[in-house]
Amino acid sequence: MELTVVVAFTSLVVSIISSIYGFTQNRKLQEFEHRTREDTKEDLVKLDTALKSIIIKSSYRNDMRNLVFDAEKNIISDFLLSPTWLAIEYLINQNGDKTVLHVELLIILNRQDGITIGFAAHNAERELSRISSQYQEELLNLKDNIYTMLPEISGDNVDRLSKTAVSAVKDRITYNDDYVKDAFRYLKEVKGVTDPNIDLFLAVLDNNEELLKQSIDAGGNLAMDDKDLLKKYEKLLKDHKFVRKPELPA
């Protein structure tokens, strides 16, 4: 089968899955309190579909430069902010287990080369299969409210979501922290740009928990790095002058 056909097919599958289960970039924190068995199952199916799509695409190594994983990365980003991931994290910790799933998913989000992303997807898919099998009944029998069954997470869900977001965003910063902060603050405060992705970076760099919650709530995308965001607004940044702060003497 031709690469273009395979890529088109897998991208179509991911798009269909995203459409069916919906709202991958706009899920609200307040909606997390009303989750069912089917919602958990859907999260796992979406993630598994995205990982299999990456594996299929990355197997065609003669055309690595033309591979795009944006749809899959968006699904992974959404999964890492979902109650299903919080439940997995909880069950892993409660059972004294360990998992590389989080690390492999962050590698997929943070890297650009198809080979590395493909290897990470293989590892993540294998680990997801193990977790889904080992903890299937516990994950799917959380009744109507996931937090009723997980009292340790109830009241702490925003904090756990925040830790995941902070970890992901910090790994997406490729330039100097001060420059990124200055540029994004210039776009927000001087140019009046309203973008939850800018807020996401500023929240992490300023250690602003309230802004972090708002940016996640508004659909901040963990799959976007600072380089992509700066390029998006490069015309607005043409007059921006960055002055490096003098270092304090030791």
Short mmCIF file of all heavy atoms in Angstrom, two decimals, residues 78-137:
data_model
loop_
_atom_site.label_atom_id
_atom_site.label_comp_id
_atom_site.label_asym_id
_atom_site.label_seq_id
_atom_site.Cartn_x
_atom_site.Cartn_y
_atom_site.Cartn_z
N ASP A 78 -4.80 15.83 25.15
CA ASP A 78 -6.08 15.79 25.84
C ASP A 78 -6.14 14.65 26.85
O ASP A 78 -6.66 14.81 27.96
CB ASP A 78 -7.20 15.63 24.81
CG ASP A 78 -8.58 15.83 25.42
OD1 ASP A 78 -8.83 16.91 25.96
OD2 ASP A 78 -9.38 14.88 25.36
N PHE A 79 -5.58 13.51 26.49
CA PHE A 79 -5.59 12.35 27.39
C PHE A 79 -4.84 12.65 28.68
O PHE A 79 -5.28 12.27 29.77
CB PHE A 79 -4.97 11.14 26.69
CG PHE A 79 -4.90 9.92 27.57
CD1 PHE A 79 -6.01 9.10 27.71
CD2 PHE A 79 -3.74 9.60 28.26
CE1 PHE A 79 -5.96 7.98 28.54
CE2 PHE A 79 -3.68 8.50 29.09
CZ PHE A 79 -4.80 7.68 29.23
N LEU A 80 -3.70 13.34 28.58
CA LEU A 80 -2.90 13.63 29.76
C LEU A 80 -3.58 14.62 30.71
O LEU A 80 -3.15 14.77 31.85
CB LEU A 80 -1.53 14.17 29.35
CG LEU A 80 -0.57 13.13 28.77
CD1 LEU A 80 0.71 13.79 28.28
CD2 LEU A 80 -0.25 12.05 29.80
N LEU A 81 -4.64 15.27 30.24
CA LEU A 81 -5.41 16.18 31.09
C LEU A 81 -6.76 15.59 31.47
O LEU A 81 -7.63 16.29 31.97
CB LEU A 81 -5.60 17.52 30.40
CG LEU A 81 -4.33 18.33 30.16
CD1 LEU A 81 -4.65 19.61 29.39
CD2 LEU A 81 -3.65 18.66 31.47
N SER A 82 -6.93 14.29 31.21
CA SER A 82 -8.24 13.66 31.45
C SER A 82 -8.30 12.95 32.79
O SER A 82 -7.27 12.55 33.35
CB SER A 82 -8.52 12.65 30.32
OG SER A 82 -7.70 11.49 30.50
N PRO A 83 -9.51 12.74 33.30
CA PRO A 83 -9.68 11.96 34.53
C PRO A 83 -9.17 10.53 34.38
O PRO A 83 -8.77 9.91 35.35
CB PRO A 83 -11.19 11.98 34.75
CG PRO A 83 -11.66 13.19 34.03
CD PRO A 83 -10.78 13.30 32.83
N THR A 84 -9.22 10.00 33.16
CA THR A 84 -8.74 8.63 32.94
C THR A 84 -7.26 8.52 33.26
O THR A 84 -6.82 7.54 33.88
CB THR A 84 -9.01 8.19 31.49
OG1 THR A 84 -10.41 8.25 31.23
CG2 THR A 84 -8.52 6.77 31.24
N TRP A 85 -6.47 9.53 32.86
CA TRP A 85 -5.06 9.49 33.21
C TRP A 85 -4.87 9.63 34.72
O TRP A 85 -4.02 8.96 35.31
CB TRP A 85 -4.28 10.59 32.48
CG TRP A 85 -2.89 10.72 33.06
CD1 TRP A 85 -2.40 11.78 33.76
CD2 TRP A 85 -1.87 9.73 33.04
NE1 TRP A 85 -1.11 11.52 34.17
CE2 TRP A 85 -0.76 10.26 33.75
CE3 TRP A 85 -1.77 8.45 32.51
CZ2 TRP A 85 0.42 9.56 33.93
CZ3 TRP A 85 -0.59 7.74 32.70
CH2 TRP A 85 0.48 8.29 33.39
N LEU A 86 -5.67 10.47 35.36
CA LEU A 86 -5.58 10.61 36.80
C LEU A 86 -5.89 9.29 37.50
O LEU A 86 -5.25 8.91 38.49
CB LEU A 86 -6.55 11.68 37.30
CG LEU A 86 -6.31 13.12 36.81
CD1 LEU A 86 -7.33 14.05 37.45
CD2 LEU A 86 -4.91 13.58 37.09
N ALA A 87 -6.88 8.56 36.96
CA ALA A 87 -7.25 7.27 37.53
C ALA A 87 -6.11 6.26 37.37
O ALA A 87 -5.81 5.50 38.28
CB ALA A 87 -8.52 6.75 36.87
N ILE A 88 -5.50 6.25 36.19
CA ILE A 88 -4.37 5.34 35.94
C ILE A 88 -3.23 5.66 36.91
O ILE A 88 -2.64 4.76 37.52
CB ILE A 88 -3.90 5.46 34.49
CG1 ILE A 88 -4.92 4.83 33.54
CG2 ILE A 88 -2.53 4.77 34.30
CD1 ILE A 88 -4.60 5.02 32.07
N GLU A 89 -2.92 6.94 37.03
CA GLU A 89 -1.84 7.37 37.92
C GLU A 89 -2.14 6.92 39.35
O GLU A 89 -1.24 6.43 40.07
CB GLU A 89 -1.70 8.89 37.86
CG GLU A 89 -0.57 9.44 38.70
CD GLU A 89 -0.54 10.97 38.66
OE1 GLU A 89 -1.62 11.59 38.77
OE2 GLU A 89 0.55 11.52 38.52
N TYR A 90 -3.38 7.09 39.77
CA TYR A 90 -3.79 6.70 41.11
C TYR A 90 -3.65 5.20 41.34
O TYR A 90 -3.08 4.75 42.34
CB TYR A 90 -5.24 7.14 41.35
CG TYR A 90 -5.84 6.60 42.62
CD1 TYR A 90 -5.55 7.19 43.85
CD2 TYR A 90 -6.70 5.50 42.60
CE1 TYR A 90 -6.10 6.70 45.02
CE2 TYR A 90 -7.25 5.00 43.77
CZ TYR A 90 -6.95 5.60 44.96
OH TYR A 90 -7.49 5.10 46.13
N LEU A 91 -4.15 4.41 40.39
CA LEU A 91 -4.10 2.95 40.52
C LEU A 91 -2.67 2.43 40.50
O LEU A 91 -2.32 1.50 41.24
CB LEU A 91 -4.92 2.30 39.40
CG LEU A 91 -6.43 2.50 39.47
CD1 LEU A 91 -7.11 1.98 38.21
CD2 LEU A 91 -7.00 1.79 40.70
N ILE A 92 -1.83 3.04 39.67
CA ILE A 92 -0.41 2.65 39.61
C ILE A 92 0.24 2.88 40.97
O ILE A 92 0.95 2.01 41.51
CB ILE A 92 0.33 3.46 38.52
CG1 ILE A 92 -0.13 3.04 37.13
CG2 ILE A 92 1.85 3.29 38.66
CD1 ILE A 92 0.27 1.65 36.71
N ASN A 93 0.01 4.06 41.54
CA ASN A 93 0.60 4.39 42.84
C ASN A 93 0.06 3.52 43.96
O ASN A 93 0.81 3.06 44.83
CB ASN A 93 0.36 5.88 43.16
CG ASN A 93 1.13 6.80 42.25
OD1 ASN A 93 2.16 6.42 41.70
ND2 ASN A 93 0.63 8.01 42.06
N GLN A 94 -1.26 3.28 43.95
CA GLN A 94 -1.89 2.49 45.00
C GLN A 94 -1.40 1.05 45.01
O GLN A 94 -1.34 0.41 46.06
CB GLN A 94 -3.42 2.50 44.83
CG GLN A 94 -4.08 3.78 45.29
CD GLN A 94 -3.97 3.98 46.79
OE1 GLN A 94 -3.17 4.78 47.26
NE2 GLN A 94 -4.76 3.26 47.55
N ASN A 95 -1.04 0.52 43.85
CA ASN A 95 -0.62 -0.87 43.74
C ASN A 95 0.90 -1.03 43.75
O ASN A 95 1.41 -2.12 43.49
CB ASN A 95 -1.20 -1.49 42.46
CG ASN A 95 -2.70 -1.74 42.56
OD1 ASN A 95 -3.14 -2.76 43.08
ND2 ASN A 95 -3.49 -0.79 42.07
N GLY A 96 1.62 0.06 44.03
CA GLY A 96 3.07 -0.02 44.06
C GLY A 96 3.66 -0.36 42.71
O GLY A 96 4.76 -0.92 42.61
N ASP A 97 2.94 -0.03 41.65
CA ASP A 97 3.36 -0.34 40.28
C ASP A 97 4.16 0.83 39.72
O ASP A 97 4.23 1.90 40.30
CB ASP A 97 2.12 -0.61 39.43
CG ASP A 97 2.43 -1.35 38.14
OD1 ASP A 97 3.62 -1.59 37.87
OD2 ASP A 97 1.46 -1.67 37.42
N LYS A 98 4.78 0.61 38.58
CA LYS A 98 5.48 1.68 37.88
C LYS A 98 5.09 1.63 36.41
O LYS A 98 4.73 0.59 35.88
CB LYS A 98 7.01 1.51 38.01
CG LYS A 98 7.53 1.68 39.42
CD LYS A 98 9.06 1.55 39.46
CE LYS A 98 9.58 1.74 40.87
NZ LYS A 98 11.06 1.61 40.94
N THR A 99 5.14 2.80 35.76
CA THR A 99 4.80 2.84 34.35
C THR A 99 5.64 3.89 33.63
O THR A 99 5.98 4.92 34.21
CB THR A 99 3.30 3.15 34.14
OG1 THR A 99 3.01 3.18 32.73
CG2 THR A 99 2.92 4.49 34.74
N VAL A 100 5.95 3.59 32.37
CA VAL A 100 6.69 4.54 31.53
C VAL A 100 5.74 5.27 30.58
O VAL A 100 6.19 6.03 29.72
CB VAL A 100 7.78 3.82 30.70
CG1 VAL A 100 8.82 3.19 31.61
CG2 VAL A 100 7.17 2.77 29.77
N LEU A 101 4.43 5.02 30.74
CA LEU A 101 3.47 5.58 29.80
C LEU A 101 3.55 7.10 29.73
O LEU A 101 3.57 7.69 28.64
CB LEU A 101 2.05 5.15 30.18
CG LEU A 101 0.93 5.62 29.24
CD1 LEU A 101 1.16 5.13 27.82
CD2 LEU A 101 -0.43 5.15 29.75
N HIS A 102 3.59 7.75 30.88
CA HIS A 102 3.65 9.20 30.92
C HIS A 102 4.88 9.72 30.19
O HIS A 102 4.80 10.65 29.38
CB HIS A 102 3.66 9.67 32.38
CG HIS A 102 3.55 11.15 32.55
ND1 HIS A 102 4.14 11.83 33.58
CD2 HIS A 102 2.92 12.10 31.80
CE1 HIS A 102 3.86 13.13 33.47
NE2 HIS A 102 3.13 13.30 32.40
N VAL A 103 6.03 9.11 30.46
CA VAL A 103 7.28 9.54 29.83
C VAL A 103 7.22 9.38 28.32
O VAL A 103 7.60 10.29 27.56
CB VAL A 103 8.47 8.74 30.40
CG1 VAL A 103 9.75 9.07 29.63
CG2 VAL A 103 8.66 9.03 31.87
N GLU A 104 6.73 8.23 27.86
CA GLU A 104 6.68 7.97 26.42
C GLU A 104 5.71 8.93 25.72
O GLU A 104 5.99 9.41 24.61
CB GLU A 104 6.25 6.52 26.15
CG GLU A 104 7.18 5.46 26.72
CD GLU A 104 8.57 5.47 26.08
OE1 GLU A 104 8.78 6.15 25.06
OE2 GLU A 104 9.46 4.78 26.61
N LEU A 105 4.60 9.25 26.36
CA LEU A 105 3.64 10.19 25.76
C LEU A 105 4.23 11.59 25.68
O LEU A 105 4.02 12.30 24.68
CB LEU A 105 2.34 10.21 26.57
CG LEU A 105 1.51 8.92 26.56
CD1 LEU A 105 0.27 9.07 27.41
CD2 LEU A 105 1.15 8.50 25.13
N LEU A 106 4.99 12.00 26.69
CA LEU A 106 5.64 13.30 26.64
C LEU A 106 6.72 13.35 25.56
O LEU A 106 6.92 14.39 24.92
CB LEU A 106 6.24 13.65 28.01
CG LEU A 106 5.24 14.00 29.11
CD1 LEU A 106 5.98 14.33 30.40
CD2 LEU A 106 4.35 15.16 28.71
N ILE A 107 7.40 12.23 25.34
CA ILE A 107 8.40 12.17 24.25
C ILE A 107 7.71 12.41 22.91
O ILE A 107 8.20 13.15 22.06
CB ILE A 107 9.12 10.81 24.26
CG1 ILE A 107 10.08 10.72 25.45
CG2 ILE A 107 9.89 10.60 22.94
CD1 ILE A 107 10.73 9.36 25.61
N ILE A 108 6.55 11.79 22.73
CA ILE A 108 5.80 11.97 21.48
C ILE A 108 5.42 13.44 21.31
O ILE A 108 5.52 14.00 20.21
CB ILE A 108 4.55 11.08 21.47
CG1 ILE A 108 4.94 9.60 21.43
CG2 ILE A 108 3.66 11.42 20.26
CD1 ILE A 108 3.78 8.65 21.62
N LEU A 109 4.98 14.08 22.38
CA LEU A 109 4.59 15.48 22.30
C LEU A 109 5.77 16.39 22.03
O LEU A 109 5.65 17.39 21.31
CB LEU A 109 3.91 15.92 23.61
CG LEU A 109 2.51 15.37 23.90
CD1 LEU A 109 2.02 15.92 25.23
CD2 LEU A 109 1.53 15.72 22.79
N ASN A 110 6.93 16.05 22.59
CA ASN A 110 8.06 16.98 22.57
C ASN A 110 9.00 16.82 21.39
O ASN A 110 9.71 17.77 21.05
CB ASN A 110 8.89 16.81 23.86
CG ASN A 110 8.10 17.17 25.10
OD1 ASN A 110 7.16 17.94 25.03
ND2 ASN A 110 8.46 16.59 26.23
N ARG A 111 9.02 15.66 20.77
CA ARG A 111 9.97 15.42 19.69
C ARG A 111 9.33 15.65 18.32
O ARG A 111 8.11 15.59 18.17
CB ARG A 111 10.53 13.99 19.76
CG ARG A 111 11.31 13.71 21.03
CD ARG A 111 12.54 14.60 21.13
NE ARG A 111 13.52 14.30 20.10
CZ ARG A 111 14.51 13.42 20.24
NH1 ARG A 111 14.67 12.78 21.40
NH2 ARG A 111 15.35 13.18 19.26
N GLN A 112 10.18 15.90 17.34
CA GLN A 112 9.71 16.16 15.98
C GLN A 112 10.08 15.05 15.00
O GLN A 112 9.44 14.90 13.97
CB GLN A 112 10.28 17.50 15.47
CG GLN A 112 9.93 18.70 16.33
CD GLN A 112 8.44 18.95 16.42
OE1 GLN A 112 7.71 18.77 15.46
NE2 GLN A 112 7.98 19.37 17.59
N ASP A 113 11.16 14.30 15.31
CA ASP A 113 11.61 13.29 14.34
C ASP A 113 10.75 12.04 14.43
O ASP A 113 10.45 11.52 15.50
CB ASP A 113 13.09 12.95 14.59
CG ASP A 113 13.35 12.47 16.02
OD1 ASP A 113 13.15 13.28 16.94
OD2 ASP A 113 13.74 11.30 16.18
N GLY A 114 10.38 11.53 13.26
CA GLY A 114 9.46 10.41 13.16
C GLY A 114 9.96 9.12 13.78
O GLY A 114 9.17 8.36 14.34
N ILE A 115 11.26 8.86 13.70
CA ILE A 115 11.80 7.61 14.23
C ILE A 115 11.64 7.57 15.75
O ILE A 115 11.16 6.58 16.32
CB ILE A 115 13.28 7.44 13.85
CG1 ILE A 115 13.41 7.25 12.32
CG2 ILE A 115 13.89 6.24 14.57
CD1 ILE A 115 14.83 7.13 11.83
N THR A 116 12.06 8.64 16.43
CA THR A 116 11.94 8.69 17.89
C THR A 116 10.48 8.62 18.32
O THR A 116 10.13 7.91 19.27
CB THR A 116 12.57 9.98 18.43
OG1 THR A 116 13.95 10.02 18.07
CG2 THR A 116 12.45 10.05 19.95
N ILE A 117 9.62 9.35 17.62
CA ILE A 117 8.20 9.35 17.94
C ILE A 117 7.62 7.95 17.74
O ILE A 117 6.80 7.47 18.53
CB ILE A 117 7.45 10.38 17.07
CG1 ILE A 117 7.81 11.80 17.52
CG2 ILE A 117 5.94 10.17 17.14
CD1 ILE A 117 7.23 12.88 16.65
N GLY A 118 8.06 7.28 16.69
CA GLY A 118 7.58 5.92 16.41
C GLY A 118 7.96 4.95 17.50
O GLY A 118 7.14 4.13 17.95
N PHE A 119 9.23 4.99 17.94
CA PHE A 119 9.67 4.12 19.03
C PHE A 119 8.89 4.39 20.31
O PHE A 119 8.48 3.46 21.02
CB PHE A 119 11.17 4.30 19.30
CG PHE A 119 12.05 3.55 18.34
CD1 PHE A 119 13.04 4.19 17.62
CD2 PHE A 119 11.90 2.18 18.16
CE1 PHE A 119 13.85 3.51 16.73
CE2 PHE A 119 12.70 1.47 17.28
CZ PHE A 119 13.69 2.13 16.56
N ALA A 120 8.69 5.68 20.61
CA ALA A 120 7.93 6.05 21.81
C ALA A 120 6.49 5.54 21.72
O ALA A 120 5.92 5.08 22.72
CB ALA A 120 7.95 7.56 22.00
N ALA A 121 5.90 5.62 20.54
CA ALA A 121 4.53 5.14 20.34
C ALA A 121 4.44 3.64 20.55
O ALA A 121 3.48 3.12 21.14
CB ALA A 121 4.03 5.52 18.95
N HIS A 122 5.45 2.89 20.05
CA HIS A 122 5.50 1.44 20.27
C HIS A 122 5.51 1.14 21.76
O HIS A 122 4.74 0.30 22.25
CB HIS A 122 6.75 0.84 19.61
CG HIS A 122 6.56 0.41 18.21
ND1 HIS A 122 5.84 -0.72 17.86
CD2 HIS A 122 6.98 0.96 17.03
CE1 HIS A 122 5.84 -0.85 16.54
NE2 HIS A 122 6.52 0.15 16.01
N ASN A 123 6.40 1.81 22.50
CA ASN A 123 6.51 1.59 23.94
C ASN A 123 5.24 1.97 24.67
O ASN A 123 4.78 1.27 25.58
CB ASN A 123 7.70 2.37 24.50
CG ASN A 123 9.03 1.88 23.97
OD1 ASN A 123 9.16 0.73 23.56
ND2 ASN A 123 10.03 2.76 23.98
N ALA A 124 4.67 3.12 24.27
CA ALA A 124 3.45 3.59 24.93
C ALA A 124 2.28 2.66 24.66
O ALA A 124 1.47 2.38 25.56
CB ALA A 124 3.13 5.02 24.46
N GLU A 125 2.17 2.18 23.42
CA GLU A 125 1.06 1.30 23.06
C GLU A 125 1.14 -0.02 23.82
O GLU A 125 0.13 -0.55 24.31
CB GLU A 125 1.08 1.04 21.55
CG GLU A 125 -0.22 0.49 20.98
CD GLU A 125 -0.29 -1.03 21.05
OE1 GLU A 125 0.78 -1.67 21.09
OE2 GLU A 125 -1.41 -1.57 21.07
N ARG A 126 2.35 -0.54 23.96
CA ARG A 126 2.56 -1.78 24.71
C ARG A 126 2.21 -1.58 26.20
O ARG A 126 1.56 -2.43 26.82
CB ARG A 126 4.00 -2.25 24.55
CG ARG A 126 4.29 -3.59 25.22
CD ARG A 126 5.63 -4.17 24.79
NE ARG A 126 6.72 -3.25 25.05
CZ ARG A 126 7.44 -2.65 24.11
NH1 ARG A 126 7.16 -2.86 22.84
NH2 ARG A 126 8.43 -1.84 24.44
N GLU A 127 2.63 -0.44 26.75
CA GLU A 127 2.36 -0.16 28.16
C GLU A 127 0.89 0.11 28.39
O GLU A 127 0.32 -0.29 29.42
CB GLU A 127 3.21 1.03 28.63
CG GLU A 127 3.07 1.39 30.08
CD GLU A 127 3.57 0.32 31.03
OE1 GLU A 127 4.05 -0.74 30.57
OE2 GLU A 127 3.48 0.53 32.25
N LEU A 128 0.24 0.80 27.47
CA LEU A 128 -1.20 1.06 27.58
C LEU A 128 -1.97 -0.26 27.57
O LEU A 128 -2.93 -0.42 28.33
CB LEU A 128 -1.67 1.95 26.44
CG LEU A 128 -3.18 2.25 26.41
CD1 LEU A 128 -3.58 3.07 27.65
CD2 LEU A 128 -3.54 3.01 25.13
N SER A 129 -1.54 -1.19 26.73
CA SER A 129 -2.18 -2.49 26.66
C SER A 129 -2.05 -3.23 27.99
O SER A 129 -3.02 -3.85 28.48
CB SER A 129 -1.55 -3.33 25.53
OG SER A 129 -2.10 -4.62 25.49
N ARG A 130 -0.87 -3.16 28.58
CA ARG A 130 -0.65 -3.81 29.88
C ARG A 130 -1.54 -3.20 30.96
O ARG A 130 -2.20 -3.91 31.71
CB ARG A 130 0.82 -3.68 30.30
CG ARG A 130 1.12 -4.33 31.66
CD ARG A 130 2.52 -4.01 32.14
NE ARG A 130 2.66 -2.66 32.66
CZ ARG A 130 2.34 -2.30 33.90
NH1 ARG A 130 1.80 -3.17 34.74
NH2 ARG A 130 2.50 -1.04 34.31
N ILE A 131 -1.55 -1.87 31.03
CA ILE A 131 -2.33 -1.19 32.05
C ILE A 131 -3.82 -1.44 31.87
O ILE A 131 -4.54 -1.73 32.83
CB ILE A 131 -2.04 0.33 32.01
CG1 ILE A 131 -0.60 0.60 32.49
CG2 ILE A 131 -3.03 1.09 32.88
CD1 ILE A 131 -0.16 2.03 32.29
N SER A 132 -4.29 -1.36 30.63
CA SER A 132 -5.71 -1.56 30.34
C SER A 132 -6.15 -2.96 30.73
O SER A 132 -7.26 -3.17 31.23
CB SER A 132 -5.99 -1.32 28.86
OG SER A 132 -5.70 0.01 28.50
N SER A 133 -5.28 -3.93 30.49
CA SER A 133 -5.59 -5.31 30.82
C SER A 133 -5.53 -5.55 32.32
O SER A 133 -6.43 -6.15 32.92
CB SER A 133 -4.62 -6.25 30.11
OG SER A 133 -4.82 -7.60 30.50
N GLN A 134 -4.48 -5.06 32.96
CA GLN A 134 -4.26 -5.31 34.38
C GLN A 134 -5.26 -4.60 35.27
O GLN A 134 -5.69 -5.12 36.30
CB GLN A 134 -2.84 -4.89 34.76
CG GLN A 134 -2.44 -5.22 36.19
CD GLN A 134 -0.96 -4.99 36.44
OE1 GLN A 134 -0.15 -4.97 35.51
NE2 GLN A 134 -0.60 -4.81 37.70
N TYR A 135 -5.65 -3.38 34.86
CA TYR A 135 -6.53 -2.57 35.70
C TYR A 135 -7.89 -2.32 35.05
O TYR A 135 -8.59 -1.38 35.42
CB TYR A 135 -5.86 -1.23 36.01
CG TYR A 135 -4.56 -1.36 36.77
CD1 TYR A 135 -3.35 -1.12 36.14
CD2 TYR A 135 -4.55 -1.74 38.11
CE1 TYR A 135 -2.15 -1.24 36.82
CE2 TYR A 135 -3.35 -1.86 38.81
CZ TYR A 135 -2.16 -1.61 38.16
OH TYR A 135 -0.98 -1.74 38.84
N GLN A 136 -8.26 -3.17 34.11
CA GLN A 136 -9.47 -2.93 33.33
C GLN A 136 -10.71 -2.76 34.20
O GLN A 136 -11.44 -1.77 34.07
CB GLN A 136 -9.71 -4.06 32.34
CG GLN A 136 -10.95 -3.85 31.46
CD GLN A 136 -11.14 -4.97 30.47
OE1 GLN A 136 -10.80 -6.11 30.75
NE2 GLN A 136 -11.68 -4.65 29.31
N GLU A 137 -10.96 -3.71 35.07
CA GLU A 137 -12.18 -3.65 35.89
C GLU A 137 -12.17 -2.45 36.82
O GLU A 137 -13.18 -1.78 37.02
CB GLU A 137 -12.34 -4.95 36.68
CG GLU A 137 -12.73 -6.14 35.82
CD GLU A 137 -13.95 -5.85 34.96
OE1 GLU A 137 -14.97 -5.39 35.51
OE2 GLU A 137 -13.87 -6.08 33.74
#
